[in-house]
Every structure is written in structure tokens, then in C-alpha cells.
Amino acid sequence: MKEKLREVSIELFERKGFKETSVQEIVEAIGATKGAFYYYYKSKEELLCDICVSYLDDLLRQQACIVQDPEKSCTEKLRAIVHMVICNIRTRKKSARIFFREMRHLADDHLAEIRAKRRLFRKRYEQLVREGIARGEFKPSLHAEMITFGLLGITNWSYYWFRPDGDISEEELTDIFVDFILHGIKAPRAGEKRSK
């Protein structure tokens, strides 16, 4: 029942918005009662927090697997994280939209948990950039923290406009982003080669 409540709420919050969706609409959508809702959640806000935390926990699990892979270089790990975020647009797009759009409705106690998880995701990314600099894979002049914010900015808002069933595939968008991140948009000088 809890999973059903979360699933239907994701649909409703994504379509109508958190504020505009009532508990009554949620329970009616699955043929339950308000009593059933309040058995699992103290409030609609707690449900929103659950959706956001679930989304972040899933990203953190995937990110941990990538950064802990001893077989991959930092560049390969960076590409894998970009690809993971892009693939999550197909698999978790509605949760991502709710996370970014509706998180502002959460009280400080709920936000504290979410901020800690977001910080962990960012710090792992930043550590990967620092490691890449230390290993000579990335330029030594980079400011790791600012680069990390840039990486997050490039990928995090893709959920808003990227259509996985459109003209550009997830793989192609990953390649576009990684090429842009690693090489920028400036054309190579005559005689220079770019490695992919």
C-alpha cells in the first residue's frame, strides 16, 4: 500500500503539483481511505520527503558503484556518472521533476536529510574531479568545487528538456556532454587532435 501511495503521488504531483494535489485525490486514485494514507504518512509533506529521499538514495547507490570501481579511470567514471544521470531521466523523470520543483515545500527538518544526501552526491563528484587532477587526467588548473557545480548544472536540468525517445539517444547525449566537459566548444587548432 505504501508503494502504491508513493507511485500515484508521483503521478499526481508531477502532473498537478504538490500544493494542488490533495490527500483525498491520492487515496481516491488507488481506492484507499485517508486512514490508510495516515497509517503510512503523517502528512503529505512526509510523503513528498519520502519521494525525494527515495530518488536521492537511488542516485547515491548508483554513484557509489561507479566511483568505487577500481577498473575505471577518473574519466571513465565521470562519463559513467553523466550517463547514469541521463538514463535516470527515462527511468525516474517524474521523481526528478518533483525533487527539483517541489522540494521547496519541505520544512527544515525534512530538508536537512535531503541536503545531506545532495551534499554527499556533490562531494563524491568533487572527489572524483580532485582524483582526476591528481592522476593527471584533468588539468591541474581546475577549481574542483566549481567544476563540480558546473557538471551538476549541465546534467541536473536535462530532465526538463531531454526526451529519451527523441532524435538524440542517451548514449549520444552522454557523449555530447562528456566531450563538452572535457574539451569545451573551441575548435582544435590546426594539427591538434582531440581524443574521445
Side-chain angles (χ1 to χ4, degrees), residues 63 74-75 78-79 81-82 121-134 137-156 177-184:
Q63 185 195 43
C74 293
T75 304
L78 183 134
R79 185 194 188 286
I81 292 173
V82 170
F121 189 89
R122 180 176 50 81
K123 287 296 186 183
R124 282 183 187 160
Y125 224 151
E126 185 178 328
Q127 182 55 40
L128 175 63
V129 173
R130 289 185 193 286
E131 191 177 320
I133 292 168
E137 290 183 52
F138 306 146
K139 292 190 290 190
S141 61
L142 294 178
H143 189 288
E145 184 181 27
M146 292 300 107
I147 292 298
T148 302
F149 281 120
L151 291 168
L152 291 169
I154 289 168
T155 55
N156 282 354
F177 280 176
V178 171
D179 182 55
F180 174 66
I181 291 163
L182 296 176
H183 305 110

Side-chain angles (χ1 to χ4, degrees), residues 91-169:
T91 60
R92 305 283 311 262
K93 182 176 190 170
K94 292 177 182 179
S95 293
R97 280 190 179 190
I98 291 165
F99 174 76
F100 287 107
R101 188 180 70 199
E102 307 293 353
M103 187 176 60
R104 69 183 192 272
H105 298 297
L106 295 173
D108 286 343
D109 57 330
H110 288 132
L111 279 175
E113 179 182 8
I114 289 169
R115 284 184 182 130
K117 290 176 185 291
R118 285 179 70 176
R119 191 169 31 258
L120 175 60
F121 189 89
R122 180 176 50 81
K123 287 296 186 183
R124 282 183 187 160
Y125 224 151
E126 185 178 328
Q127 182 55 40
L128 175 63
V129 173
R130 289 185 193 286
E131 191 177 320
I133 292 168
R135 290 183 176 187
E137 290 183 52
F138 306 146
K139 292 190 290 190
S141 61
L142 294 178
H143 189 288
E145 184 181 27
M146 292 300 107
I147 292 298
T148 302
F149 281 120
L151 291 168
L152 291 169
I154 289 168
T155 55
N156 282 354
W157 289 100
S158 300
Y159 79 89
Y160 189 72
W161 54 264
F162 177 60
R163 305 285 178 254
D165 57 351
D167 293 339
I168 303 287
S169 72

